[in-house]
Amino acid sequence: GAGVSQSPSNKVTEKGKDVELRCDPISGHTALYWYRQSLGQGLEFLIYFQGNSAPDKSGLPSDRFSAERTGGSVSTLTIQRTQQEDSAVYLCASSKILGSSGSPDTQYFGPGTRLTVL
Amino acid sequence: AQSVTQLDSQVPVFEEAPVELRCNYSSSVSVYLFWYVQYPNQGLQLLLKYLSGSTLVKGINGFEAEFNKSQTSFHLRKPSVHISDTAEYFCAVSGRSGGSYIPTFGRGTSLIVHP
C-alpha cells in the first residue's frame, strides 16, 4: 500500500523567501507529525496533529514556522522568511493511536524534504 | 517531561560480531518504547517496539531489545551483525497514559560494520 509521501524531495531557496513543504499521510492515520533532522542532531519535533484536536505547536522554533492539516489528511509546513539555519531535512510521519491511550503506535515516516537555504 | 539518552554516538564493530546499542529513558509515567533504523539515503523505519507483555522484544533483521523498567533502559542487541546493518539507529519513547504522547527521540547511534 501507499506510504507517507512528501514533496518536494529537494528544495533550494534564497534567504528571506517563503517555502511550503507538503506531506500526504497514510490513509486512516489520525496522527501526523513534523520533525526536523539536522546532521548529527537526531530528530527535532516541530508540530503534532491528532484528529480534530488543536495541534500541538510546542516544537516550532519561531513564529516563522506554521503548519496546517486540511480535512484530517494532507499537511503543509510553511516557513516564512527562510534563514540559513533552517537548512535541514524535514520529515513527516503518520500513525494510528493505541486504543484509548492517546499514545501513538508505530510511526511511518516519509522520505523527507531536504531544504537548503542559500 | 520525558527524555531519551543514547549513550554512544558511534559504534564500530566487525562483521559477525555481537553488538549492543544502549538506550536509557526518563519519564514520570509508564511508557511505550521504539527502535527505528535509518539506512543510508533511506527513510526511518520501525525495527521493533515494546507496548506491553514480554519484556524481550524481537524485531526485524535479527535484532532484539529488552525493556528493563528498574534500570529505565531499552538496549538493542544483535548476536551477529552484517555489513548491511550499517545504519543510524534511533530509540524513541512516548507516554502510555498522561505524560507526553509526542514521541521523544534520542540523538541516534551510528552503527558501522567493518568487513
Side-chain angles (χ1 to χ4, degrees):
Chain A
V4 177
S5 61
Q6 293 185 246
S7 61
S9 55
N10 279 285
K11 177 71 176 179
V12 180
T13 190
E14 293 180 348
K15 178 181 173 181
K17 301 284 189 182
D18 297 352
V19 296
E20 282 191 354
L21 312 180
R22 177 186 168 105
C23 172
D24 283 86
I26 292 173
S27 177
H29 282 188
T30 58
L32 186 148
Y33 316 77
W34 282 98
Y35 295 92
R36 180 166 67 177
Q37 185 177 28
S38 304
L39 193 62
Q41 297 299 311
L43 273 70
E44 176 188 3
F45 164 74
L46 298 177
I47 188 168
Y48 166 54
F49 296 90
Q50 164 49 18
N52 296 321
S53 302
D56 184 325
K57 305 178 183 180
S58 60
L60 295 179
S62 77
D63 59 8
R64 296 186 295 104
F65 288 72
S66 63
E68 63 177 21
R69 187 178 185 190
T70 54
S73 181
V74 173
S75 177
T76 303
L77 176 69
T78 302
I79 308 173
Q80 296 178 310
R81 305 181 302 281
T82 52
Q83 304 294 311
Q84 288 183 332
E85 61 263 29
D86 299 334
S87 296
V89 176
Y90 289 81
L91 296 173
C92 174
S94 71
S95 76
K96 296 181 180 180
I97 297 300
L98 287 161
S100 59
S101 71
S103 197
D105 200 347
T106 302
Q107 291 180 291
Y108 292 83
F109 286 83
T113 294
R114 181 175 298 278
L115 176 65
T116 303
V117 182
L118 301 177
Chain B
Q2 61 197 24
S3 66
V4 177
T5 303
Q6 291 184 244
L7 294 165
D8 306 300
S9 60
Q10 206 172 77
V11 174
V13 64
F14 287 106
E15 194 172 21
E16 298 183 7
V19 70
E20 178 179 83
L21 306 184
R22 295 179 292 171
C23 173
N24 287 86
Y25 69 92
S26 67
S27 175
S28 58
V29 300
S30 57
V31 297
Y32 297 117
L33 294 155
F34 304 80
W35 273 99
Y36 289 87
V37 59
Q38 187 174 31
Y39 296 106
N41 301 313
Q42 294 187 29
L44 278 86
Q45 60 183 283
L46 181 74
L47 199 57
L48 49 78
K49 61 186 177 184
Y50 170 76
L51 303 181
S52 65
S54 172
T55 56
L56 182 63
V57 180
K58 294 188 183 298
I60 62 172
N61 300 337
F63 283 92
E64 64 181 33
E66 185 157 21
F67 170 50
N68 188 318
K69 187 175 181 180
S70 63
Q71 297 187 4
T72 60
S73 68
F74 192 54
H75 301 331
L76 182 69
R77 301 185 183 95
K78 185 170 182 177
S80 176
V81 295
H82 300 132
I83 294 286
S84 59
D85 292 324
T86 294
E88 193 81 14
Y89 292 79
F90 294 93
C91 182
V93 60
S94 61
R96 181 181 290 268
S97 61
S100 174
Y101 298 140
I102 298 166
T104 301
F105 283 79
R107 294 169 70 92
T109 297
S110 180
L111 176 63
I112 302 169
V113 182
H114 297 287

